[in-house]
Amino acid sequence: ECLGIREEDIGGSVLYIRRSVNTHGTVTEGKNKNAKRVIPLPPMAQAIISETIERNHKANFGTPWVFCGYCGEIANQCTMRKHWNRLKAERDLVGSPYSLRHTFVSIVSSQTHLAEGTIKELVGHSQSMDTFGTYKHAVKGELERAADVINLTFERLKAEGNT
């Protein structure tokens, strides 16, 4: 989906997901009706997208694609994978670009109070899909944090004489 983002898809603080680029480099409408959606962009994402567009303009690419290829052409997944592998090696990262979806769902579901339906909408899943069963994984330190929260809760209840 990132490869399919064009400048016209950015509307201030929202991103309109309108297309995708598959492994063959073909622009598609996405894999299902939920693929087309509107995503709110937090300031960090807005900054990254703005910097990328500015870089493209400075390079005189004349491209509508935000995350474009080396010369402004539509990027392909093979090139993106090469960049990702280089970044992984430089920063000691693990996983694939697709695994970032799993990480996103795991972090957003464990660290925010967003409703499950909202998270499904953000990642383009139907209400019937088991998003958390498929995508949610333990976030490093989350079990320890859960133990601390449970302990604090019972300490408070004990101090109040409720146990």
Side-chain angles (χ1 to χ4, degrees):
E1 291 174 335
C2 286
L3 299 180
I5 298 172
R6 296 169 59 110
E7 286 189 44
E8 66 200 40
D9 300 328
I10 312 299
S13 62
V14 296
L15 168 63
Y16 298 90
I17 301 290
R18 297 181 171 130
R19 71 195 67 74
S20 185
V21 179
N22 67 22
T23 56
H24 305 290
T26 305
V27 178
T28 71
E29 291 186 0
K31 62 182 185 180
N32 60 42
K33 67 180 177 116
N34 300 308
K36 288 187 177 182
R37 59 198 187 276
V38 179
I39 299 174
L41 290 173
M44 184 184 297
Q46 290 177 43
I48 291 167
I49 290 171
S50 292
E51 289 167 12
T52 303
I53 291 170
E54 185 177 325
R55 183 195 70 219
N56 293 346
H57 286 246
K58 283 183 179 177
N60 292 316
F61 284 160
T63 182
W65 305 105
V66 174
F67 302 104
C68 60
Y70 293 113
C71 300
E73 75 281 5
I74 188 168
N76 62 58
Q77 290 187 23
C78 181
T79 302
M80 182 184 69
R81 199 172 300 108
K82 286 178 187 176
H83 285 294
W84 174 251
N85 287 334
R86 190 182 72 232
L87 186 64
K88 277 183 7 180
E90 289 172 3
R91 303 203 182 162
D92 197 28
L93 301 172
V94 297
S96 66
Y98 189 78
S99 72
L100 295 175
R101 287 176 63 87
H102 293 256
T103 302
F104 176 81
V105 170
S106 296
I107 291 172
V108 169
S109 64
S110 67
Q111 303 292 317
T112 69
H113 297 289
L114 293 176
E116 181 178 2
T118 301
I119 295 170
K120 287 178 181 228
E121 194 173 323
L122 288 172
V123 296
H125 289 175
S126 67
Q127 290 303 315
S128 63
M129 180 166 178
D130 183 13
T131 298
F132 292 160
T134 303
Y135 283 81
K136 188 176 177 186
H137 306 290
V139 175
K140 187 176 183 178
E142 190 63 19
L143 292 177
E144 293 82 1
R145 190 175 82 77
D148 290 343
V149 169
I150 292 167
N151 188 61
L152 287 171
T153 300
F154 280 98
E155 292 280 343
R156 181 181 51 79
L157 291 171
K158 180 179 174 186
E160 294 172 357
N162 292 326
T163 57

